[in-house]
Amino acid sequence: MSDKRVLLIIGGGIAAYKSLELIRLLAKAGVKSRAILTKAGAEFVTPLSVGSLTQDKVYQDLFNLTDESEMGHIELSRSADLIVVAPATADLIAKAAHGLANDLASTTLLATDTPVLMAPAMNVRMWQHAATQRNVARLQADGVHFVGPDEGEMACGEYGPGRMSEPQAILGAIKTLLADGPLKGKRALVTAGPTVEPIDPVRFISNRSSGKQGYAIAAALAELGADVTLVSGPTNLPAPLGVRRVSVETAHQMLEASEASLPLDVAVMVAAVADWRPAEAADAKLKKDKGGVQAISLVENPDILATLSKPGKKRPKLIVGFAAETDHVEEHARAKIAKKGCDWIVANDVSGDVMGGDNNQVLLITKDGSEAWPHMAKDAVAKRLAIEIAQALAGRSALKK
Ligand code: CTP
């Protein structure tokens, strides 16, 4: 970490005092930090205490001629490997989500192409407000990373999510984002969760997929340094750190978002895509007194795995499918490799409680080998698969033939 640099933006919240500890921890880890202190941030911590810890100038004012001649705000935003906003107040988050640039902090965030990590801190109601949630979702889709907020007692006396993560947790997230893992520079797509196919505006066809395995794989690939897009159907899971999540509902939307993520080095298709959708989705709610629904006719959905696997210049180098089977697991999975044109299949036996559960037992099948993995946590399956993927992209396969 010793050659890494962080630009820390300290917003105006009571949690600003924790940022001083964060600077200390960064220095201990060998990471150099430089700070921007917003006007509101300076109400909570002084430039003198921030500057003594960073051992650098503290940047405060957008229209300071000396600052601009020494280091313009554009250069400042590019002088780091990572920008960390802690505390990220509701105001800073809203400004960044809307691309406002009316002070040094927001201008820096707009002027940069450096990765950004935000550690939100605010009152629970402000965090839960639809506007803040919309802004956070917008920033996540733009590729901004989040750590926290934590749940607990707040300075204002209320209880709930909104507390800024502890400095140690923020440091952990920073280390993950700064790490030069074996997948650094590689582009990955993971599809996850169910798809939802509308019958009418209020009813739909779907399945029991929780998204846990796909989310764990997206997180594991990001931990190894990959640039990960997670195309997800509706789940209750937070976006993993370092992952760009694109939320979709239908199989068609999932296909479109997956194709938009090309070019890719690796695609891991974990989503439980609904195989069929109602031939027609009614525009208005179907009513019982109008004769109800006699039958729903279904049409087959596009196969996303097969579409991406078609030979051609745009085909990802490595394509991994999942197969949910209840019997003849290896035989059915091998048939799926041939039918869909992918490179590997991770086959799991879903006759037990795999769907929605925390554990999984899988068989990794490639064109020329297979390996049965022990029963383990979905997180562990994800980490092992990410390592296999890194080996394969480096031209080394750990798989026994
Ligand atoms: N898949 C996909 N698009 C679909 C259906 C499936 O991308 N429309 C992907 C899944 O994400 C998974 C793999 O294909 O990686 C296998 O899906 P599965 O449902 O097990 O297989 P099916 O092709 O649906 O075959 P069957 O239901 O007959 O087992």
Side-chain angles (χ1 to χ4, degrees):
M1 292 281 149
S2 58
D3 54 340
K4 302 289 184 190
R5 304 174 70 100
V6 160
L7 176 65
L8 177 65
I9 298 180
I10 305 176
I14 187 80
Y17 76 92
K18 290 192 196 172
S19 301
L20 300 179
E21 173 67 4
L22 178 61
I23 299 171
R24 223 181 48 78
L25 291 176
L26 283 167
K28 254 175 118 177
V31 179
K32 283 203 184 60
S33 55
R34 172 173 278 156
I36 291 177
L37 183 60
T38 67
K39 200 159 168 255
E43 301 285 335
F44 294 90
V45 290
T46 67
L48 187 61
S49 47
V50 175
S52 325
L53 288 164
T54 58
Q55 297 189 335
D56 199 343
K57 184 179 164 52
V58 177
Y59 292 81
Q60 284 187 273
D61 195 343
L62 181 56
F63 305 110
N64 181 319
L65 187 60
T66 329
D67 281 6
E68 280 298 310
S69 57
E70 277 173 10
M71 173 165 319
H73 59 276
I74 306 281
E75 203 185 325
L76 182 61
S77 75
R78 296 181 190 161
S79 66
D81 301 289
L82 180 70
I83 298 184
V84 179
V85 189
T89 58
D91 180 63
L92 266 174
I93 288 173
K95 278 184 188 166
H98 290 85
L100 295 187
N102 58 359
D103 59 14
L104 181 58
S106 54
T107 307
T108 302
L109 287 169
L110 194 63
T112 194
D113 53 4
T114 303
V116 176
L117 171 71
M118 292 197 169
M122 68 197 74
N123 165 273
V124 54
R125 298 267 166 86
M126 291 169 76
W127 172 251
Q128 286 170 339
H129 195 285
T132 303
Q133 290 303 311
R134 228 174 14 243
N135 292 336
V136 169
R138 178 67 261 160
L139 288 172
Q140 279 178 334
D142 291 344
V144 171
H145 309 293
F146 282 83
V147 52
D150 290 351
E151 194 165 317
E153 186 119 16
M154 314 203 55
C156 55
E158 289 189 57
Y159 188 93
R163 272 168 64 116
M164 187 167 94
S165 291
E166 292 306 319
Q168 275 292 357
I170 301 175
L171 178 72
I174 292 172
K175 281 185 172 169
T176 302
L177 292 171
L178 288 179
D180 283 328
L183 289 175
K184 192 91 182 169
K186 304 286 184 203
R187 289 170 58 90
L189 163 73
V190 179
T191 65
T195 65
V196 163
E197 311 293 337
I199 298 169
D200 70 9
V202 297
R203 305 180 178 94
F204 58 80
I205 294 177
S206 191
N207 59 62
R208 292 187 192 280
S209 168
S210 65
K212 281 181 193 166
Q213 186 65 81
Y215 274 57
I217 291 169
L221 291 170
E223 264 171 40
L224 296 190
D227 173 1
V228 183
T229 301
L230 170 65
V231 177
S232 172
T235 69
N236 289 321
L237 304 170
L241 183 72
V243 165
R244 185 183 313 103
R245 176 165 63 178
V246 181
S247 299
V248 297
E249 296 213 330
T250 66
H252 267 286
Q253 291 167 353
M254 188 170 271
L255 174 63
E256 207 175 295
S258 299
E259 288 184 318
S261 71
L262 291 165
L264 295 165
D265 294 283
V266 58
V268 189
M269 317 303 271
V270 200
V273 184
D275 288 318
W276 301 278
R277 68 178 183 280
E280 276 175 50
D283 289 336
K285 189 181 169 198
L286 298 168
K287 303 295 281 181
K288 291 196 285 292
D289 58 5
K290 298 238 172 82
V293 183
Q294 302 305 322
I296 297 173
S297 59
L298 300 171
V299 289
E300 203 170 324
N301 264 328
D303 192 309
I304 304 164
L305 176 59
T307 309
L308 258 66
S309 299
K310 281 193 191 125
K313 272 208 300 242
K314 284 186 162 180
R315 187 190 189 279
K317 292 187 194 88
L318 176 66
I319 304 186
V320 185
F322 265 66
E325 308 292 351
T326 53
D327 59 284
H328 298 89
V329 176
E330 176 153 4
E331 192 186 323
H332 286 156
R334 277 208 180 280
K336 235 163 244 180
I337 291 191
K339 192 172 101 192
K340 303 206 183 200
C342 59
D343 303 300
W344 297 356
I345 284 275
V346 179
N348 49 359
D349 187 338
V350 289
S351 49
D353 66 347
V354 167
M355 276 206 161
D358 289 326
N359 297 313
N360 209 350
Q361 180 156 23
V362 307
L363 192 63
L364 175 62
I365 300 165
T366 70
K367 282 175 185 144
D368 35 38
S370 78
E371 209 172 71
W373 294 358
H375 191 258
M376 52 188 172
K378 286 182 176 175
D379 280 349
V381 170
K383 288 199 161 83
R384 187 154 164 185
L385 183 64
I387 289 168
E388 293 286 355
I389 288 170
Q391 300 262 42
L393 290 181
R396 297 185 294 270
S397 178
L399 255 195
K400 290 186 279 297
K401 293 206 176 164

